[in-house]
């Protein structure tokens, strides 16, 4: 994505702020176990304001855990 920011987030529950020019993002999750799966898409379109991205991770034993990542696309210069 030319012209968009690249963000590295250690904690998936962090609230991330992006500029108003950022209209979509790519997500990549590093899973520790090869048998673990997730439901993430390759890219997400962002509306202005808060965008809740729901991520479900399924462990090898079938247990699912839900995470919500908040990506806040600024509406103007300051917020």
């Amino acid at each position: 994505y030319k012209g968009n920011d690249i963000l590295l987030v250690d904690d998936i529950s962090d609230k991330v702020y992006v500029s108003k020019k950022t209209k979509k993002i790519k997500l990549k999750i590093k899973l520790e176990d090869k048998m673990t799966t997730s439901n993430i898409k390759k890219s997400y379109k962002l509306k202005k304001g808060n965008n809740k991205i729901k991520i479900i991770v399924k462990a090898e034993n079938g247990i699912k855990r839900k995470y919500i990542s908040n990506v806040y696309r600024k509406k103007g210069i300051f917020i």
Side-chain angles (χ1 to χ4, degrees), residues 5-7 9 14-20 22 25 46 49-50 70-75 78-79:
D5 301 325
I6 296 174
L7 302 170
V9 180
D14 285 349
K15 188 168 194 174
V16 177
Y17 293 86
V18 295
S19 74
K20 67 180 182 178
T22 304
I25 59 169
L46 301 177
N50 192 45
N70 291 289
V71 179
Y72 191 87
R73 180 177 169 216
K74 296 179 181 180
K75 297 176 185 179
F78 299 107
I79 294 179

Side-chain angles (χ1 to χ4, degrees), residues 19-77:
S19 74
K20 67 180 182 178
K21 293 180 183 179
T22 304
K23 296 183 180 176
K24 60 182 166 178
I25 59 169
K26 285 184 181 181
L27 286 184
K28 184 176 181 181
I29 295 178
K30 182 180 178 184
L31 301 171
E32 293 183 16
D33 185 344
K34 291 180 182 179
M35 298 299 290
T36 302
T37 61
S38 73
N39 70 326
I40 64 166
K41 298 186 283 183
K42 294 192 181 226
S43 65
Y44 292 85
K45 291 182 180 180
L46 301 177
K47 65 181 192 301
K48 290 181 182 176
N50 192 45
N51 295 267
K52 288 187 177 193
I53 298 175
K54 296 175 186 170
I55 300 166
I56 299 171
V57 177
K58 183 177 177 184
E60 181 179 2
N61 63 5
I63 294 175
K64 293 180 182 178
R65 187 162 179 190
K66 184 169 113 177
Y67 300 90
I68 295 177
S69 185
N70 291 289
V71 179
Y72 191 87
R73 180 177 169 216
K74 296 179 181 180
K75 297 176 185 179
I77 296 172

